[in-house]
Amino acid sequence: MDQRPGRARGELRETLDASVQQTYSMLESTYPSDDIENLIGTMNSFVRLSTDGSHIFLLPDRSGKVLSGNLAVAVAHEGFATASAPELGLLDVERFRVLSGTIDGYRLVAGQSFRETEDLAGIVLVSFGWASALAVVLAFATGAYLARRAQDRLDTIAATISAVSNGQLDVRIPLTGLRDDVDEIAGKINLALVRLSTLVESIRQVSTDIAHDLKTPLNRLKLMID
């Protein structure tokens, strides 16, 4: 069974993880030691840019109070995790890929929904389906064309042999130049026809010679009888 759709989904998942990791690293890099305000300002900018809700952020202080972000609930453990919108306190049905870590005692959470990934996966699946269907159609069409072409060539061979059986010794099977099995068989039949034609012509010449040689004695015999 072809695993290409599954591999495509895996690659899209890796791309999503890389995107989340990049966002997290950008936020992390804006935090100089003991300057949480700079990180808060950067995260607020990210939140404002995420107008469609596809990106999520959370920065609580050490006591758990939210300093910035569009989440109310953080994931329970650090590292990558997949969470549904209700698990993150969101009124939605989407799933999110979330990366959570700790910076100088502050919990930092960044995530992105599977929306674009699932849309792309759907496009890949549909495209693969159409490509498979087209490949099947082309395979059948090519097979039918090749079968018909081979049948036409076999019909030509049969017609040539039929003509030979009716006394047309000068006919030959046309070759396509493809040097395939059919051409090889046709070539051997043509050689056999050449030998047959030569043999028949030799027999005809011998018969003519015999008739010529017997003509004079027969005439003399006829005169003697007369």
Side-chain angles (χ1 to χ4, degrees):
M1 184 176 180
D2 203 319
Q3 300 296 321
R4 279 176 286 184
R7 288 201 299 269
R9 287 182 178 274
E11 292 174 358
L12 290 173
R13 174 70 170 271
E14 292 176 0
T15 301
L16 178 61
D17 283 357
S19 177
V20 173
Q21 178 67 65
Q22 183 179 18
T23 302
Y24 184 93
S25 298
M26 290 177 63
L27 290 170
E28 186 179 32
S29 65
T30 62
Y31 175 73
S33 181
D34 297 326
D35 188 5
I36 193 62
E37 294 300 327
N38 193 33
L39 177 57
I40 292 174
T42 302
M43 182 169 283
N44 287 338
S45 298
F46 273 76
V47 171
R48 285 193 299 270
L49 292 174
S50 180
T51 55
D52 60 353
S54 60
H55 292 75
I56 55 176
F57 306 94
L58 179 63
L59 178 65
D61 62 14
R62 294 184 177 91
S63 65
K65 179 182 177 181
V66 176
L67 299 176
S68 179
N70 51 9
L71 286 180
V73 180
V75 292
H77 60 277
E78 295 188 1
F80 275 104
T82 299
S84 64
E87 291 174 334
L88 299 171
L90 300 174
L91 299 176
D92 207 335
V93 294
E94 291 191 83
R95 295 184 307 127
F96 291 84
R97 191 66 173 160
V98 183
L99 177 58
S100 177
T102 302
I103 303 177
D104 196 17
Y106 294 95
R107 172 61 66 89
L108 176 62
V109 178
Q112 186 174 338
S113 74
F114 282 87
R115 184 189 311 163
E116 293 183 1
T117 302
E118 290 174 348
D119 289 344
L120 288 174
I123 293 173
V124 169
L125 186 60
V126 170
S127 300
F128 177 76
W130 278 108
S132 299
L134 181 60
V136 171
V137 171
L138 288 176
F140 275 110
T142 302
Y145 168 75
L146 293 177
R148 181 59 186 172
R149 184 175 181 179
Q151 186 60 49
D152 289 343
R153 294 169 71 187
L154 293 175
D155 290 342
T156 301
I157 293 175
T160 302
I161 294 175
S162 178
V164 171
S165 65
N166 292 326
Q168 301 179 31
L169 300 181
D170 59 337
V171 295
R172 298 292 183 268
I173 302 172
L175 302 180
T176 63
L178 297 177
R179 298 183 179 179
D180 55 5
D181 293 341
V182 178
D183 254 11
E184 184 177 353
I185 293 173
K188 290 180 179 179
I189 293 175
N190 285 341
L191 289 176
L193 291 177
V194 170
R195 294 191 186 102
L196 178 61
S197 179
T198 302
L199 180 60
V200 171
E201 184 62 30
S202 298
I203 293 174
R204 183 180 292 121
Q205 185 62 44
V206 169
S207 299
T208 301
D209 292 342
I210 291 174
H212 183 270
D213 291 341
L214 290 176
K215 183 176 181 180
T216 299
L218 287 174
N219 287 333
R220 289 176 182 175
L221 181 61
K222 180 178 182 296
L223 291 174
M224 291 176 62
I225 293 173
D226 289 342

